[in-house]
Amino acid sequence: MEQLTAAAEKANIIAGGGVMQRDTRESLIRISGQSVTLEDIEQTPVLWRDPRPVLIRDVADVRFGGPVRRGDGSVWVNEESGPSGGPAVILAVQKQPNADTLVLDDKISVVLDQLQAEAPPGAVIERRIFKQADFIEAAIHNVTEAIRDGALWVVVILFLFMWNFRVSVSSLTAMPLSILLTILAFRWFGVSINTMTLGGIAVAIGDLVDDSIVDIENIYRRLKENRHRENPQPPLQVIYEASTEVRNSIVYATLIVALVVLPLFSLSGLEGRIFAPLGVAYITSLMASLAVSLTVTPVLGSYLLPNAKFLDEREDPFILRWLKIGFERVLRVTLRHANAVLAAVTVLVVLSLASIAWMGGEFLPPFNEGTLTVSLQTEPGTSLEESNRVARRAESLILDVPGVVSVSRRTGRAELDEHAEGVNSSEIDVRLLEHERPKPGVFYAALRMIPIAHLWTYETVSRPREEVLADVRDQVTSIPNVRINIGQPISHRLDHVMSGVRAQIAVKVFGPDLQELRMAAQDIQDRISQIPGVVDLQTEPQVEVSQLRLKVNHQEAARYGLAPGDVAELLETAYKGRVVSQILDEDRYFDLVVWYDEASRDNPETINKTIIETPSGRKIALGQVAEVLDTTGPNTLNRENVQRRIVVFCNVAGRDLASVVNDIREAALPVEERLTELPGSYYVEYGGQFEAQQQANFRLAVLGGFSIVGVLLLLYKALESWAAALQVLVNIPLAAMGSVIALLVTQWPAWDALEAAPWWQWPKVWAEATSLSVAHWVGFITLIGIVSRNGIMMISHYLHLMKHEGEEFGERMIIRGTLERLAPVMMTAMTSFIGLLPLLFGAGQTGKEILHPLAVVVFGGMLASTLLDQVVTPALFFKFGRPLLREQPCFEAKDPSVNSHRPLLDESEAHGLFSKSSAERRA
């Protein structure tokens, strides 16, 4: 064998011989012993046996061949005429970090077009399989559509409240300018425009006009009052004073909103990579809107408003007038029954917040990638042919599922692959039909410019993704003796990053003895299999498989002068093959490999008879120095932190992640207790999405608490009173109550779950059907700053009326202050949560998966906080606001005790209060 290997190595030689001097010239010497045909290699002598040499062709076959196949692939596409496709080579392209996926995808398409033009007849480059660019394009399209629809809703709300073009334009200018400044800042600092940065703008779209609304509304109201004075002041002076009056509230309110977003930058791992860009975009756009409101908005007001004819009108716009009538009546009742109102609201807040303890949890909402990844695992040791047969059966079953566009399969993964797998492993990417698509026609194209137009301009072309996923799972689980794991390409990789396995939950058992680990893992799997909601349950296959072990007899090998390495080298050449040279053929090259033929490799007796030449020149059989054992051994040994481990993993369907994990911990507890009694270090760890969820939730909770402290400090700086600052913070539990109600409404429990429980347990069942993800908690954090804005505007205006306009503390002042601040409070609040409607109605849409839960929390919180703020804040200030007067420096109002026993306003008096100008009220 050694002589044949040496001869094959010498059969193909190219060498350099230096330089030859020839008079005034020199020539390079090239020694060419290159073999260019199989016949050249066959003619190479191995040794001399008189009267002729023994050639390679005498002792070996020389032919073209390939290595042992360790994988296979295929692609099938559902056409109108039926499935088309067949065996295929799957080409996977990985981009470099920071490369633009969409730009790279376009360049790859050009290259594939060129390859298709040069491909041999019958070869087709199929592109209707998984591409990450498709997911990114769909996500960006949906989020951009949400920004557009949200902006249009903001325009509608502003015009309805203002009811004139000039005031609306003065506020709306802030939105495009803020977005433009945000994009310029991104370009300046090299921040990419992606789904999450666009999502940050989409969440902030309604807030971008808030500062300008407060500023321009106060300018408009002061100019209107100035128009009806006997001695009007110059308009520029009025605009300056009006803008200065609210500037403090605007700046501090925006700073508070920005402050509470800072915890997003502390998130680590996957959640940090997702939410940090959203936070960057959100804060940048808010700071841009603040800059616009402090500069551009007053200037526009000075150009558009001073000479406007609508300033002559005494009455407010229709909608605002009726809102004031309604809230005035509510305020009369509220202030007369302040204790009852505050007690009722407190009870509602406590009950709603208590339901959070029953709610489930998950890490992130499931992505809608448009592609499923189905992993099939047969028993270790299964041949490639059998794995192909099983995988082809799975392909056929999946193609029969309505809504499946194509399947691409890879069975086995080579050693140099980034995810090497045995031939018993198959991975099938299943591309799904888009659930919705735009209706054709110019008419529907025009309608899609209307906000939330997807409700009627998109047609359903396939079943919902959840139904397709359930159908695919039912089909593939019908295949016997196969472990199934179903996920999505990107989600699977994220799971692998977090836990080392491609599943949502991983139970890792550590210990020194593999047999004990197997027994513990099997016990845990049996216990977990009884838990509702667990799907795709399987244990990492570390089992005994057939092995052919060649064991060198050191003593016998040494007797013949052979080292173990000499024997191992021969065996490696016989079974695996050795590359001894490379044959060049124009622009191609082929490895020249020496190994035993297939019949000999499959026969241990033949291997035993292999002749070995010893250093002494004596020839012996391999069986004299080595033993070939037909035995078994573990197919793989996995370690983590230098310790042996085996993993039981699963996914979750139909239940929340946190509840399933709690059940798994409880079920596996007896196994953990048994392992602690064994000698050695045995223990169990739980990994996966829930671990990242717990870490992120804990970090958000801690930093959210610090944010509230920071908000309190900023409120004190803005209002110069600790009591006033605490009253503003009351908006936070009010908003949280609204968010909880919104979550309960949007996540209905299954009706059979309600029927199975007594009626008094329905609230608990309902709460348990609601899952809180990291995206929900990010929404709660963001809500802290947003809802503080209304409280600042209300309480700061109460103080302004008493400090600068001679109002006395009492019902009259509170009603006046509330009604005067009703317009900016309602407009800023409504633009904030109305701008979220496209995200609110975008549940499950690609690109909106992370933004929808956040939008639900913010929308519900803003709605509840805005409505209750008009009731609770006046009642709270009326009940506890009197001591605030003593904390205010340089206070000019009368002693509040003067009207401490003044009777409450009657309905006619209060109704006329807000229909007069400030000058008339002071008179």
Side-chain angles (χ1 to χ4, degrees):
M1 188 67 180
E2 294 91 339
Q3 293 170 330
L4 177 62
T5 302
E9 188 173 358
K10 298 174 183 177
N12 183 64
I13 293 294
I14 298 178
V19 178
M20 176 181 289
Q21 298 293 336
R22 308 176 75 178
D23 297 332
T24 60
R25 301 171 58 195
E26 67 178 18
S27 299
L28 297 177
I29 300 174
R30 180 184 178 192
I31 303 171
S32 178
Q34 183 180 8
S35 296
V36 294
T37 64
L38 296 181
E39 289 75 14
D40 292 339
I41 300 175
E42 289 176 337
Q43 294 294 331
T44 304
V46 177
L47 49 79
W48 177 265
R49 286 291 183 265
D50 192 41
R52 69 178 185 87
V54 177
L55 305 179
I56 288 181
R57 69 182 181 188
D58 297 328
V59 295
D61 293 331
V62 181
R63 60 176 179 265
F64 287 107
V68 176
R69 292 183 63 187
R70 301 299 296 167
D72 198 1
S74 65
V75 171
W76 291 91
V77 179
N78 269 329
E79 308 279 5
E80 293 183 0
S81 58
S84 65
V89 176
I90 308 294
L91 175 64
V93 181
Q94 304 290 334
K95 76 179 185 68
Q96 293 290 338
N98 300 320
D100 190 313
T101 302
L102 299 182
V103 174
L104 181 60
D105 184 71
D106 292 338
K107 294 180 179 179
I108 292 174
S109 296
V110 173
V111 174
L112 292 180
D113 290 338
Q114 297 172 353
L115 290 177
Q116 183 64 73
E118 301 172 358
V124 177
I125 299 179
E126 181 57 67
R127 310 183 200 184
R128 288 172 291 180
I129 55 178
F130 169 70
K131 286 197 305 181
Q132 191 177 23
D134 295 336
F135 171 66
I136 295 174
E137 287 177 344
I140 292 177
H141 169 76
N142 288 335
V143 177
T144 305
E145 188 178 69
I147 295 175
R148 183 205 67 193
D149 290 355
L152 291 175
W153 272 114
V154 170
V155 172
V156 172
I157 292 300
L158 277 181
F159 186 77
L160 289 177
F161 270 89
M162 297 293 192
W163 206 249
N164 64 75
F165 180 75
R166 294 191 180 191
V167 179
S168 300
V169 167
S170 301
S171 299
L172 289 173
T173 308
M175 188 161 46
L177 287 178
S178 300
I179 295 176
L180 178 61
L181 289 176
T182 302
I183 294 174
L184 291 176
F186 283 178
R187 184 169 183 83
W188 179 268
F189 291 103
V191 179
S192 64
I193 302 294
N194 52 50
T195 306
M196 297 313 297
T197 51
L198 288 175
I201 297 175
V203 173
I205 194 70
D207 300 330
L208 297 183
V209 295
D210 284 0
D211 294 340
S212 295
I213 286 175
V214 176
D215 196 25
I216 202 66
E217 191 278 336
N218 205 53
I219 291 173
Y220 164 68
R221 186 168 57 85
R222 293 304 187 187
L223 285 174
K224 193 173 182 179
E225 293 174 356
N226 186 63
R227 178 69 64 89
H228 295 92
R229 288 181 177 177
E230 294 181 0
N231 299 310
Q233 295 179 337
L236 284 179
Q237 182 179 349
V238 174
I239 292 173
Y240 171 77
E241 293 176 354
S243 184
T244 304
E245 178 184 339
V246 296
R247 181 150 297 188
N248 188 63
S249 300
I250 290 174
V251 172
Y252 279 103
T254 305
L255 290 178
I256 287 172
V257 175
L259 172 66
V260 298
V261 181
L262 292 180
L264 298 186
F265 301 107
S266 69
L267 293 175
S268 60
L270 174 63
E271 62 274 19
R273 298 294 299 271
I274 290 177
F275 288 108
L278 185 147
V280 168
Y282 189 78
I283 290 180
T284 304
S285 58
L286 283 182
M287 292 296 104
S289 71
L290 176 62
V292 172
S293 69
L294 297 179
T295 55
V296 178
T297 301
V299 174
L300 280 175
S302 67
Y303 277 103
L304 299 176
L305 300 184
N307 300 320
K309 293 182 179 180
F310 55 78
L311 293 177
D312 296 331
E313 299 177 3
R314 291 181 177 272
E315 292 187 344
D316 293 314
F318 174 79
I319 293 180
L320 191 57
R321 188 163 66 249
W322 279 99
L323 282 174
K324 285 186 175 182
I325 293 174
F327 275 108
E328 174 268 325
R329 293 174 179 174
V330 172
L331 282 171
R332 284 192 305 105
V333 176
T334 299
L335 297 180
R336 290 178 178 178
H337 305 88
N339 290 336
V341 170
L342 294 177
V345 171
T346 301
V347 171
L348 290 175
V349 168
V350 171
L351 290 177
S352 61
L353 296 184
S355 65
I356 295 180
W358 292 332
M359 291 183 179
E362 58 184 358
F363 179 48
L364 292 175
F367 295 131
N368 183 9
E369 301 178 30
T371 304
L372 301 178
T373 296
V374 181
S375 296
L376 307 175
Q377 292 274 347
T378 57
E379 286 298 321
T382 303
S383 65
L384 178 61
E385 290 73 17
E386 177 63 16
S387 292
N388 274 334
R389 186 190 67 80
V390 173
R392 284 194 293 267
R393 174 62 178 161
E395 282 180 323
S396 176
L397 293 173
I398 294 172
L399 282 170
D400 291 337
V401 175
V404 171
V405 175
S406 65
V407 295
S408 57
R409 172 180 60 89
R410 285 175 289 184
T411 298
R413 307 285 283 271
E415 294 179 0
L416 297 181
D417 193 283
E418 59 175 344
H419 299 292
E421 297 280 0
V423 296
N424 66 308
S425 174
S426 297
E427 185 173 279
I428 303 175
D429 287 333
V430 183
R431 184 169 180 175
L432 306 180
L433 191 65
E434 186 180 9
H435 179 53
E436 291 181 342
R437 69 183 180 198
K439 292 182 180 179
V442 178
F443 173 73
Y444 286 109
L447 280 181
R448 281 194 291 276
M449 295 302 295
I450 300 175
I452 323 181
H454 65 271
L455 295 178
W456 60 85
T457 59
Y458 283 77
E459 60 181 343
T460 301
V461 296
S462 178
R463 296 183 300 162
R465 171 182 168 276
E466 291 75 16
E467 293 184 12
V468 178
L469 174 59
D471 201 349
V472 169
R473 178 171 278 119
D474 289 341
Q475 292 286 353
V476 295
T477 51
S478 65
I479 304 175
N481 301 322
V482 177
R483 299 182 181 91
I484 308 296
N485 188 13
I486 301 179
Q488 299 181 95
I490 299 175
S491 302
H492 257 183
R493 282 155 180 78
L494 298 181
D495 291 335
H496 195 271
V497 168
M498 288 186 288
S499 64
V501 297
R502 298 180 184 181
Q504 293 175 302
I505 302 174
V507 183
K508 302 178 180 180
V509 186
F510 293 87
D513 185 79
L514 183 59
Q515 189 60 32
E516 289 289 348
L517 295 183
R518 290 172 182 160
M519 294 173 56
Q522 186 60 47
D523 193 1
I524 291 175
Q525 179 177 342
D526 294 340
R527 294 171 181 270
I528 292 177
S529 63
Q530 307 301 319
I531 297 175
V534 171
V535 295
D536 306 335
L537 175 63
Q538 55 186 288
T539 300
E540 190 177 51
Q542 295 190 37
V543 298
E544 297 290 323
V545 296
S546 174
Q547 285 187 356
L548 199 65
R549 187 179 304 173
L550 292 94
K551 184 178 181 182
V552 178
N553 188 323
H554 288 247
Q555 184 176 357
E556 289 298 318
R559 190 157 65 91
Y560 293 109
L562 293 172
D566 300 328
V567 182
E569 184 177 5
L570 171 65
L571 295 175
E572 182 180 4
T573 302
Y575 280 100
K576 186 179 179 181
R578 185 192 305 175
V579 178
V580 296
S581 183
Q582 285 185 335
I583 307 298
L584 301 179
D585 183 9
E586 297 181 353
D587 58 343
R588 299 181 298 172
Y589 67 88
F590 303 90
D591 288 335
L592 182 57
V593 181
V594 177
W595 66 345
Y596 277 11
D597 61 0
E598 187 174 356
S600 300
R601 293 198 306 272
D602 294 341
N603 190 341
E605 294 184 3
T606 303
I607 300 297
N608 269 332
K609 297 177 182 178
T610 302
I611 301 301
I612 302 176
E613 187 171 350
T614 64
S616 63
R618 184 179 176 183
K619 294 179 173 57
I620 62 174
L622 174 62
Q624 295 178 249
V625 293
E627 184 180 5
V628 180
L629 304 175
D630 194 350
T631 181
T632 61
N635 66 313
T636 182
L637 292 175
N638 293 327
R639 295 180 180 269
E640 188 173 326
N641 297 326
V642 198
Q643 291 183 298
R644 281 186 176 179
R645 65 113 168 106
I646 191 169
V647 182
V648 181
F649 53 92
C650 64
N651 293 321
V652 177
R655 289 186 65 192
D656 67 281
L657 185 67
S659 299
V660 173
V661 170
N662 291 335
D663 291 348
I664 289 176
R665 287 180 183 273
E666 184 177 350
L669 186 59
V671 182
E672 292 187 61
E673 293 175 349
R674 183 179 65 81
L675 287 175
T676 57
E677 299 174 356
L678 296 176
S681 178
Y682 291 91
Y683 60 94
V684 177
E685 283 187 357
Y686 298 86
Q689 290 187 8
F690 79 95
E691 186 179 21
Q693 173 215 0
Q694 291 178 337
Q695 294 175 355
N697 288 350
F698 176 77
R699 186 167 300 196
L700 286 175
V702 172
L703 294 177
F706 284 112
S707 295
I708 293 177
V709 174
V711 169
L712 181 62
L713 295 175
L714 284 176
L715 288 173
Y716 171 75
K717 183 66 177 177
L719 302 174
E720 300 180 335
S721 167
W722 289 110
L726 290 173
Q727 288 192 28
V728 173
L729 289 182
V730 171
N731 279 311
I732 296 176
L734 296 180
M737 180 187 68
S739 298
V740 171
I741 295 174
L743 288 171
L744 293 174
V745 170
T746 55
Q747 301 189 45
W748 291 88
W751 180 248
D752 55 353
L754 290 176
E755 287 183 329
W759 65 268
W760 62 84
Q761 292 186 1
W762 283 8
K764 182 180 179 181
V765 174
W766 198 347
E768 288 176 346
T770 305
S771 298
L772 293 177
S773 66
V774 176
H776 290 105
W777 289 111
V778 169
F780 280 116
I781 294 291
T782 307
L783 195 59
I784 294 173
I786 296 176
V787 300
S788 300
R789 183 192 301 270
N790 293 348
I792 292 177
M793 289 192 292
M794 295 276 284
I795 293 180
S796 64
H797 193 56
Y798 295 156
L799 298 176
H800 173 82
L801 291 178
M802 293 185 292
K803 190 173 182 180
H804 298 290
E805 299 195 23
E807 287 283 355
E808 300 175 359
F809 181 86
E811 183 191 8
R812 181 190 302 272
M813 180 275 298
I814 291 178
I815 291 180
R816 176 192 168 186
T818 303
L819 297 180
E820 286 183 349
R821 275 288 172 259
L822 182 63
V825 167
M826 293 300 293
M827 282 191 292
T828 55
M830 290 195 71
T831 53
S832 294
F833 62 72
I834 285 293
L836 294 173
L837 283 180
L839 299 179
L840 195 68
F841 288 103
Q845 293 183 10
T846 303
K848 299 181 183 177
E849 306 96 333
I850 304 295
L851 303 176
H852 170 73
L854 190 152
V856 170
V857 170
V858 175
F859 183 91
M862 283 295 299
L863 184 60
S865 174
T866 302
L867 296 177
L868 293 177
D869 185 52
Q870 306 303 310
V871 176
V872 175
T873 299
L876 199 64
F877 193 84
F878 184 70
K879 187 70 178 175
F880 302 104
R882 195 180 305 278
L884 299 182
L885 307 183
R886 303 187 185 95
E887 300 181 23
Q888 296 296 313
C890 304
F891 206 83
E892 301 173 4
K894 298 178 182 179
D895 186 352
S897 63
V898 173
N899 70 330
S900 60
H901 301 289
R902 182 170 181 166
L904 293 173
L905 297 173
D906 59 29
E907 184 172 356
S908 61
E909 185 181 8
H911 178 69
L913 183 64
F914 64 82
S915 62
K916 301 176 182 179
S917 66
S918 295
E920 291 174 319
R921 283 192 292 269
R922 283 195 295 272

